[in-house]
Amino acid sequence: MASIEPLKSVTITVAQESIQIRTDLPDAELNDIVENINHRFERSAKFQMDNRKRMALLAVELMSEIMELRKQLGRAKNYYDQMEKEVQNLTLLLDEGVDNIEQL
């Protein structure tokens, strides 16, 4: 059984705001996430919007990516399910062929 990591309290700085969160993510993974968000947030500085609007824009962008990934995952699952059925069909055909050979 997989062990569940305890939540730790950490302070991160995202979009020029320090916030305290509780997480079970490893430090390296959390740092990658924070760096990615901050990079995207800084990219939107050229739009000369206040930080709230920039964060809202970033949230929409990230959610759009998540939705696209969910669609891709759904397509991959359908493909996997279809391949699983094909493998079962091929296994049945192979079993029938082996049975026919044994009867000869």
PDB file of all heavy atoms in Angstrom, residues 74-86:
ATOM      1  N   GLY A  74      -8.899  11.576 -22.837  1.00  0.00           N
ATOM      2  CA  GLY A  74     -10.100  10.827 -23.209  1.00  0.00           C
ATOM      3  C   GLY A  74      -9.913  10.088 -24.521  1.00  0.00           C
ATOM      4  O   GLY A  74     -10.293   8.914 -24.645  1.00  0.00           O
ATOM      5  N   ARG A  75      -9.293  10.778 -25.503  1.00  0.00           N
ATOM      6  CA  ARG A  75      -9.037  10.120 -26.790  1.00  0.00           C
ATOM      7  C   ARG A  75      -8.054   8.968 -26.617  1.00  0.00           C
ATOM      8  O   ARG A  75      -8.215   7.900 -27.207  1.00  0.00           O
ATOM      9  CB  ARG A  75      -8.517  11.134 -27.809  1.00  0.00           C
ATOM     10  CG  ARG A  75      -9.583  12.102 -28.306  1.00  0.00           C
ATOM     11  CD  ARG A  75      -9.126  12.912 -29.506  1.00  0.00           C
ATOM     12  NE  ARG A  75      -8.032  13.806 -29.204  1.00  0.00           N
ATOM     13  CZ  ARG A  75      -8.154  15.085 -28.871  1.00  0.00           C
ATOM     14  NH1 ARG A  75      -9.354  15.630 -28.793  1.00  0.00           N
ATOM     15  NH2 ARG A  75      -7.099  15.830 -28.638  1.00  0.00           N
ATOM     16  N   ALA A  76      -7.030   9.182 -25.783  1.00  0.00           N
ATOM     17  CA  ALA A  76      -6.048   8.117 -25.543  1.00  0.00           C
ATOM     18  C   ALA A  76      -6.699   6.930 -24.851  1.00  0.00           C
ATOM     19  O   ALA A  76      -6.400   5.774 -25.169  1.00  0.00           O
ATOM     20  CB  ALA A  76      -4.881   8.661 -24.703  1.00  0.00           C
ATOM     21  N   LYS A  77      -7.604   7.198 -23.909  1.00  0.00           N
ATOM     22  CA  LYS A  77      -8.302   6.113 -23.215  1.00  0.00           C
ATOM     23  C   LYS A  77      -9.174   5.328 -24.189  1.00  0.00           C
ATOM     24  O   LYS A  77      -9.197   4.097 -24.161  1.00  0.00           O
ATOM     25  CB  LYS A  77      -9.151   6.648 -22.076  1.00  0.00           C
ATOM     26  CG  LYS A  77      -9.822   5.537 -21.272  1.00  0.00           C
ATOM     27  CD  LYS A  77     -10.731   6.052 -20.200  1.00  0.00           C
ATOM     28  CE  LYS A  77     -11.423   4.971 -19.425  1.00  0.00           C
ATOM     29  NZ  LYS A  77     -11.883   3.816 -20.147  1.00  0.00           N
ATOM     30  N   ASN A  78      -9.888   6.044 -25.070  1.00  0.00           N
ATOM     31  CA  ASN A  78     -10.711   5.362 -26.079  1.00  0.00           C
ATOM     32  C   ASN A  78      -9.846   4.496 -26.981  1.00  0.00           C
ATOM     33  O   ASN A  78     -10.209   3.362 -27.303  1.00  0.00           O
ATOM     34  CB  ASN A  78     -11.498   6.367 -26.910  1.00  0.00           C
ATOM     35  CG  ASN A  78     -12.625   7.005 -26.134  1.00  0.00           C
ATOM     36  OD1 ASN A  78     -13.087   6.467 -25.138  1.00  0.00           O
ATOM     37  ND2 ASN A  78     -13.057   8.167 -26.580  1.00  0.00           N
ATOM     38  N   TYR A  79      -8.699   5.030 -27.391  1.00  0.00           N
ATOM     39  CA  TYR A  79      -7.778   4.281 -28.243  1.00  0.00           C
ATOM     40  C   TYR A  79      -7.275   3.045 -27.510  1.00  0.00           C
ATOM     41  O   TYR A  79      -7.241   1.941 -28.072  1.00  0.00           O
ATOM     42  CB  TYR A  79      -6.614   5.178 -28.662  1.00  0.00           C
ATOM     43  CG  TYR A  79      -5.610   4.501 -29.548  1.00  0.00           C
ATOM     44  CD1 TYR A  79      -5.886   4.263 -30.892  1.00  0.00           C
ATOM     45  CD2 TYR A  79      -4.376   4.099 -29.053  1.00  0.00           C
ATOM     46  CE1 TYR A  79      -4.968   3.632 -31.717  1.00  0.00           C
ATOM     47  CE2 TYR A  79      -3.448   3.466 -29.867  1.00  0.00           C
ATOM     48  CZ  TYR A  79      -3.752   3.237 -31.191  1.00  0.00           C
ATOM     49  OH  TYR A  79      -2.846   2.615 -31.994  1.00  0.00           O
ATOM     50  N   TYR A  80      -6.906   3.214 -26.239  1.00  0.00           N
ATOM     51  CA  TYR A  80      -6.441   2.087 -25.426  1.00  0.00           C
ATOM     52  C   TYR A  80      -7.537   1.023 -25.305  1.00  0.00           C
ATOM     53  O   TYR A  80      -7.270  -0.165 -25.470  1.00  0.00           O
ATOM     54  CB  TYR A  80      -6.024   2.565 -24.038  1.00  0.00           C
ATOM     55  CG  TYR A  80      -5.667   1.442 -23.105  1.00  0.00           C
ATOM     56  CD1 TYR A  80      -4.410   0.856 -23.149  1.00  0.00           C
ATOM     57  CD2 TYR A  80      -6.601   0.942 -22.196  1.00  0.00           C
ATOM     58  CE1 TYR A  80      -4.087  -0.200 -22.302  1.00  0.00           C
ATOM     59  CE2 TYR A  80      -6.283  -0.102 -21.352  1.00  0.00           C
ATOM     60  CZ  TYR A  80      -5.028  -0.670 -21.406  1.00  0.00           C
ATOM     61  OH  TYR A  80      -4.723  -1.710 -20.573  1.00  0.00           O
ATOM     62  N   ASP A  81      -8.764   1.450 -25.015  1.00  0.00           N
ATOM     63  CA  ASP A  81      -9.875   0.509 -24.892  1.00  0.00           C
ATOM     64  C   ASP A  81     -10.103  -0.249 -26.198  1.00  0.00           C
ATOM     65  O   ASP A  81     -10.351  -1.463 -26.204  1.00  0.00           O
ATOM     66  CB  ASP A  81     -11.156   1.229 -24.468  1.00  0.00           C
ATOM     67  CG  ASP A  81     -11.095   1.746 -23.040  1.00  0.00           C
ATOM     68  OD1 ASP A  81     -10.217   1.309 -22.270  1.00  0.00           O
ATOM     69  OD2 ASP A  81     -11.926   2.625 -22.705  1.00  0.00           O
ATOM     70  N   GLN A  82     -10.009   0.464 -27.318  1.00  0.00           N
ATOM     71  CA  GLN A  82     -10.189  -0.168 -28.630  1.00  0.00           C
ATOM     72  C   GLN A  82      -9.069  -1.189 -28.880  1.00  0.00           C
ATOM     73  O   GLN A  82      -9.339  -2.296 -29.354  1.00  0.00           O
ATOM     74  CB  GLN A  82     -10.183   0.905 -29.725  1.00  0.00           C
ATOM     75  CG  GLN A  82     -10.419   0.371 -31.116  1.00  0.00           C
ATOM     76  CD  GLN A  82     -10.392   1.475 -32.158  1.00  0.00           C
ATOM     77  OE1 GLN A  82     -10.169   2.643 -31.854  1.00  0.00           O
ATOM     78  NE2 GLN A  82     -10.607   1.099 -33.395  1.00  0.00           N
ATOM     79  N   MET A  83      -7.852  -0.812 -28.547  1.00  0.00           N
ATOM     80  CA  MET A  83      -6.731  -1.740 -28.733  1.00  0.00           C
ATOM     81  C   MET A  83      -6.877  -2.959 -27.820  1.00  0.00           C
ATOM     82  O   MET A  83      -6.559  -4.085 -28.216  1.00  0.00           O
ATOM     83  CB  MET A  83      -5.385  -1.056 -28.459  1.00  0.00           C
ATOM     84  CG  MET A  83      -4.997  -0.018 -29.480  1.00  0.00           C
ATOM     85  SD  MET A  83      -4.792  -0.732 -31.135  1.00  0.00           S
ATOM     86  CE  MET A  83      -6.265  -0.126 -31.947  1.00  0.00           C
ATOM     87  N   GLU A  84      -7.372  -2.758 -26.617  1.00  0.00           N
ATOM     88  CA  GLU A  84      -7.597  -3.862 -25.683  1.00  0.00           C
ATOM     89  C   GLU A  84      -8.610  -4.856 -26.267  1.00  0.00           C
ATOM     90  O   GLU A  84      -8.425  -6.076 -26.188  1.00  0.00           O
ATOM     91  CB  GLU A  84      -8.088  -3.316 -24.343  1.00  0.00           C
ATOM     92  CG  GLU A  84      -8.204  -4.340 -23.252  1.00  0.00           C
ATOM     93  CD  GLU A  84      -6.875  -4.853 -22.738  1.00  0.00           C
ATOM     94  OE1 GLU A  84      -5.862  -4.165 -22.899  1.00  0.00           O
ATOM     95  OE2 GLU A  84      -6.862  -5.966 -22.184  1.00  0.00           O
ATOM     96  N   LYS A  85      -9.677  -4.327 -26.872  1.00  0.00           N
ATOM     97  CA  LYS A  85     -10.668  -5.200 -27.510  1.00  0.00           C
ATOM     98  C   LYS A  85     -10.047  -5.966 -28.673  1.00  0.00           C
ATOM     99  O   LYS A  85     -10.323  -7.160 -28.869  1.00  0.00           O
ATOM    100  CB  LYS A  85     -11.866  -4.384 -27.994  1.00  0.00           C
ATOM    101  CG  LYS A  85     -12.753  -3.892 -26.886  1.00  0.00           C
ATOM    102  CD  LYS A  85     -13.887  -3.036 -27.427  1.00  0.00           C
ATOM    103  CE  LYS A  85     -14.700  -2.438 -26.298  1.00  0.00           C
ATOM    104  NZ  LYS A  85     -15.734  -1.520 -26.790  1.00  0.00           N
ATOM    105  N   GLU A  86      -9.213  -5.286 -29.451  1.00  0.00           N
ATOM    106  CA  GLU A  86      -8.563  -5.945 -30.583  1.00  0.00           C
ATOM    107  C   GLU A  86      -7.634  -7.056 -30.097  1.00  0.00           C
ATOM    108  O   GLU A  86      -7.586  -8.133 -30.700  1.00  0.00           O
ATOM    109  CB  GLU A  86      -7.781  -4.928 -31.427  1.00  0.00           C
ATOM    110  CG  GLU A  86      -8.653  -3.947 -32.183  1.00  0.00           C
ATOM    111  CD  GLU A  86      -9.531  -4.618 -33.224  1.00  0.00           C
ATOM    112  OE1 GLU A  86      -9.091  -5.608 -33.855  1.00  0.00           O
ATOM    113  OE2 GLU A  86     -10.674  -4.150 -33.411  1.00  0.00           O
TER     114      GLU A  86
END
